[in-house]
Amino acid sequence: MKLVIVESPAKAKTINNYLGKDYEVLASFGHVRDLPAKDGSVLPDEDFAMSWEVDAASRKRLSDIGNALKEADELILATDPDREGEAISWHVLDVLRGKKLLKDKPVSRVVFNAITKAAITEAMQHPRQIDEPLVDAYLARRALDYLVGFTLSPVLWRKLPGSRSAGRVQSVALRLVCERESEIERFRPQEYWSVGARLNEKSKSFEARLYSVDGRKTDKLDIASASEAEALKRAIEAGAFSVAAVDRKPTRRNPYPPFTTSSLQQDASSRLGFSPSRTMQIAQRLYEEGVITYMRTDAVQMAPEGIDEARRAIVKTFGSDYLPEKPRIYQTKAKNAQEAHEAIRPTDMFRHPDTLRGDADKHRLYELIWKRTLASQMRSAEIERTTADISVFATSRDIALRAVGSVVTFPGFLALYGVEAGADREDGDEDSRELPPLAVGDRPRLEEALIEQHFTQPPPRYSEASLIKKMEELGIGRPSTYAATMSVLQERNYVRLEKRTLIPEDRGRIVTAFLESFFNRYVEYGFTAQLEEQLDLLSNGKLAWKDVLRQFWTDFSAHVEEIRTFAFPRFWMP
DNA sequence: CAGTGAGCGAGCTTCCGCTTGACTT
């Protein structure tokens, strides 16, 4: 019998089915050990010695694994194919060796990117050993996070009473919220006017907007006062109209890629009103029931089986007109993506949402995943976009208007997964606006000249979901921790959630101001990205992990000492 | 003499990332 170790029990169950009787698959339930949450867990002065501690729950798991190992003649470590996965294998192996349970039994490491029979069978034929440089990169990451957090936090306690914590991830997330708030406070709304006309041709009304005045194209903010707008309105009212040019252009809109953790959290937030943590709780249940693939992922790729099933489901549901000739392949754009899993998708595309039993939230989330997955493989929507240039003549000014309309000539994926209003383009409403059939030389008549006052708007506050999206873009945090980071910022009273937007508390803003002033390097938006570059070199064997840590610690500790002993003026203390 | 209050010292907080139950409500 061969003993296989993976991290999650649901994954263990699936793999057990694929591998059959000669194997026993057990779950480690995540990292089996961690640094104790107290001082001295990493000792820079003792060559960065790290002390590991097995918690009570893991102790039980490890003894189960140990007992199974007694009956087994081989150990196969099959945790995720990324840095943290390699570390889990290393931790498990290190504990088993420490207990002298391994004897002389062979140990190997296998990795697969999708939990499918083909991928696992293939992986089993290519075993390797633990990737030590990758484990080293984990050790450097783990130690650095500990040293930053457990050094900066006490400095904060001392200098800013009431503050609670700082860290590589949470402090940057907090900074994003605070900087956005400052932008909003600095923002001065600017007045501008839109000018246009409601015209009529062949008994059908349509709207045209001001395009140019005296031969110069007008920009959004060009008409800044009521008097200018009214002058233009009078000129339009006095004029006559002629269609000078009509341009019809077919365009297409492509579907979105399948869900990652971050994009699922965003869409569940905007379309269903779920918080990221609620989304993850529901997704976890769907995963445990075997209904969806793993929900903590940064990959947009689907296993070939998934793509194939989606394509067959499209034909069955919509007919072959909705199926593109070739499968769509998506590329991950997120920085720092590890792509240890595939995208989040239904495990069975023929499991229609309406057949899913269970509560309403589960049904709604599954329906969103099902639709997004299916849509991601459907044909593009085809849209005919018409642009009509209309000159205004017989009036005091040289004015041109432009009318834009578009008609969906083939819905494609839009039949299933609509584009959210205002989601990614300002002129989104024009997608559905239809123009009458216009031809050059037509003389539409004026129904009404239109002017309207507007003010520019400040940037919006972040929601939990949009902050996570931003963090993902910066490569900060991981799918397994996005929701947790949102909770930390609130528990520390650094931010509060109001109408699903994040508002920084005074305490959060003071902490951010302090960190920006005295530890700017460590809360820069690119700090994690720079760290990741070093970790890449490390995992390629081009750097030694202790050298990376030593370089970091030399600068960091000297700087901390300087700030820690600096006598702040009394007024600093709140 | 009892109550008050100044002053002192001890103990506590804290990171990120991987994973579920075992808790309570």
Side-chain angles (χ1 to χ4, degrees):
Chain A
M1 193 268 291
K2 297 173 183 181
L3 177 61
V4 180
I5 306 298
V6 296
E7 46 273 90
S8 114
K11 186 173 162 184
K13 199 175 145 196
T14 313
I15 293 176
N16 223 341
N17 287 335
Y18 290 141
L19 289 177
K21 276 194 162 313
D22 295 340
Y23 295 84
E24 180 172 5
V25 188
L26 290 182
S28 74
F29 290 76
H31 283 302
V32 156
R33 303 188 298 191
D34 197 9
L35 300 173
K38 58 183 187 197
D39 285 340
S41 295
V42 176
L43 299 171
D45 293 338
E46 291 175 30
D47 210 21
F48 299 98
M50 298 163 81
S51 52
W52 301 107
E53 186 178 66
V54 178
D55 67 49
S58 296
R59 205 173 295 276
K60 172 100 174 53
R61 306 301 173 194
L62 282 166
S63 81
D64 289 349
I65 290 172
N67 289 336
L69 186 60
K70 285 176 192 155
E71 312 299 319
D73 39 45
E74 190 180 336
L75 176 66
I76 300 173
L77 301 162
T79 49
D80 289 347
D82 60 6
R83 192 164 65 216
E84 300 296 325
E86 204 70 20
I88 291 174
S89 283
W90 175 79
H91 276 307
V92 169
L93 186 59
D94 201 50
V95 170
L96 294 175
R97 279 202 176 122
K99 288 182 173 177
K100 307 223 182 298
L101 288 170
L102 208 57
K103 317 281 185 202
D104 288 330
K105 292 171 186 174
V107 180
S108 59
R109 167 89 170 106
V110 299
V111 290
F112 32 80
N113 279 80
I115 319 263
T116 60
K117 186 157 193 182
I120 290 164
T121 313
E122 164 77 8
M124 286 301 191
Q125 283 158 10
H126 299 95
R128 58 170 173 80
Q129 290 308 300
I130 292 230
D131 184 342
E132 296 292 347
L134 195 53
V135 174
D136 287 352
Y138 158 79
L139 294 172
R141 196 281 300 159
R142 184 65 193 89
L144 186 141
D145 280 337
Y146 171 89
L147 289 171
V148 170
F150 276 64
T151 309
L152 277 188
S153 298
V155 175
L156 284 184
W157 303 338
R158 208 173 130 133
K159 300 295 184 190
L160 302 177
S163 60
R164 302 278 309 281
S165 61
R168 174 178 59 85
V169 170
Q170 61 168 275
S171 296
V172 179
L174 176 60
R175 183 182 182 189
L176 284 164
V177 175
C178 293
E179 294 222 324
R180 176 59 54 89
E181 198 68 17
S182 301
E183 272 179 64
I184 293 169
E185 285 166 355
R186 281 198 306 269
F187 185 82
R188 293 285 169 269
Q190 198 181 331
E191 179 184 2
Y192 68 96
W193 288 73
S194 59
V195 175
R198 195 164 64 245
L199 302 170
N200 190 300
E201 178 66 38
K202 302 183 179 73
S203 305
K204 192 168 185 284
S205 324
F206 64 100
E207 276 184 25
R209 293 182 187 176
L210 183 68
Y211 183 72
S212 69
V213 178
D214 302 329
R216 269 195 39 229
K217 191 175 180 304
T218 47
D219 288 328
K220 184 181 161 189
L221 303 179
D222 280 355
I223 317 298
S225 70
S227 59
E228 283 174 79
E230 271 154 17
L232 288 164
K233 184 183 181 192
R234 282 192 298 275
I236 288 169
E237 282 167 345
F241 305 86
S242 162
V243 175
V246 178
D247 181 37
R248 287 196 176 79
K249 216 195 286 175
T251 60
R252 24 173 96 229
R253 180 184 274 276
N254 297 326
Y256 304 103
F259 279 132
T260 61
T261 301
S262 157
S263 60
L264 176 67
Q265 289 172 339
Q266 285 152 50
D267 265 23
S269 169
S270 57
R271 292 177 194 238
L272 307 178
F274 294 175
S275 71
S277 64
R278 183 149 159 240
T279 298
M280 293 311 281
Q281 280 167 21
I282 302 166
Q284 174 86 28
R285 277 159 51 211
L286 288 167
Y287 168 67
E288 284 168 9
E289 289 163 18
V291 176
I292 61 169
T293 57
Y294 195 59
M295 67 283 155
R296 291 187 276 264
T297 176
D298 50 23
V300 287
Q301 295 87 350
M302 275 201 277
E305 290 88 333
I307 295 179
D308 189 56
E309 255 187 37
R311 287 173 62 83
R312 284 188 285 123
I314 289 165
V315 175
K316 186 186 165 205
T317 316
F318 292 95
S320 50
D321 282 357
Y322 284 77
L323 186 74
E325 272 180 41
K326 286 186 189 166
R328 292 183 185 276
I329 307 292
Y330 293 95
Q331 300 286 331
T332 310
K333 275 186 241 147
K335 215 179 259 181
N336 187 20
Q338 310 264 323
E339 301 181 316
H341 304 273
E342 59 171 320
I344 303 170
R345 65 170 171 93
T347 49
D348 176 5
M349 284 310 299
F350 293 97
R351 192 195 316 264
H352 194 276
D354 294 344
T355 66
L356 192 76
R357 292 185 306 163
D359 61 68
D361 286 351
K362 219 162 76 177
H363 176 263
R364 291 168 77 201
L365 191 70
Y366 176 70
E367 185 176 37
L368 193 68
I369 295 168
W370 185 82
K371 285 184 171 177
R372 174 89 165 211
T373 307
L374 206 59
S376 76
Q377 285 297 327
M378 287 170 74
R379 260 182 65 190
S380 303
E382 286 164 24
I383 293 157
E384 190 180 76
R385 192 175 156 89
T386 305
T387 309
D389 286 313
I390 295 157
S391 39
V392 187
F393 59 94
T395 187
S396 52
R397 310 275 295 267
D398 174 13
I399 294 175
L401 307 178
R402 175 169 277 189
V404 179
S406 57
V407 179
V408 175
T409 51
F410 176 73
F413 80 97
L414 287 177
L416 186 63
Y417 202 86
V419 175
E420 256 190 288
D424 53 355
R425 42 190 302 182
E426 246 183 25
D427 57 349
D429 57 331
E430 284 178 357
D431 272 357
S432 53
R433 193 183 292 167
E434 204 172 336
L435 297 180
L438 293 172
V440 174
D442 280 350
R443 296 288 187 90
R445 82 181 160 76
L446 180 71
E447 286 185 359
E448 191 186 4
L450 306 165
I451 59 172
E452 196 183 346
Q453 186 186 36
H454 307 272
F455 291 93
T456 53
Q457 296 295 311
R461 291 198 176 101
Y462 286 107
S463 66
E464 290 186 308
S466 67
L467 181 59
I468 287 168
K469 182 181 182 184
K470 185 69 186 173
M471 291 169 64
E472 184 187 41
E473 283 169 18
L474 295 168
I476 296 163
R478 303 283 310 135
S480 63
T481 57
Y482 290 143
T485 303
M486 299 301 109
S487 306
V488 167
L489 294 182
Q490 289 164 64
E491 280 162 16
R492 302 283 178 268
N493 290 318
Y494 288 166
V495 304
R496 67 175 190 278
L497 201 54
E498 217 170 84
K499 292 183 200 143
R500 296 188 24 227
T501 65
L502 292 165
I503 304 174
E505 300 282 8
D506 289 345
R507 175 175 297 176
R509 303 189 76 174
I510 291 172
V511 166
T512 293
F514 180 87
L515 293 174
E516 280 178 340
S517 301
F518 301 114
F519 294 96
N520 191 258
R521 205 188 134 191
Y522 306 94
V523 293
E524 291 242 53
Y525 295 127
F527 179 70
T528 291
Q530 287 166 28
L531 172 65
E532 287 291 342
E533 280 174 24
Q534 298 243 295
L535 295 179
D536 277 348
L537 291 175
L538 229 161
S539 52
N540 291 329
K542 290 178 178 152
L543 283 176
W545 71 278
K546 288 182 180 175
D547 289 345
V548 170
L549 276 179
R550 199 169 293 116
Q551 195 187 6
F552 152 78
W553 182 247
T554 305
D555 295 350
F556 182 70
S557 59
H559 192 59
V560 167
E561 197 51 29
E562 190 185 321
I563 302 304
R564 213 177 56 78
T565 52
F566 180 75
F568 285 89
R570 285 202 62 80
F571 62 77
W572 175 269
M573 297 294 207

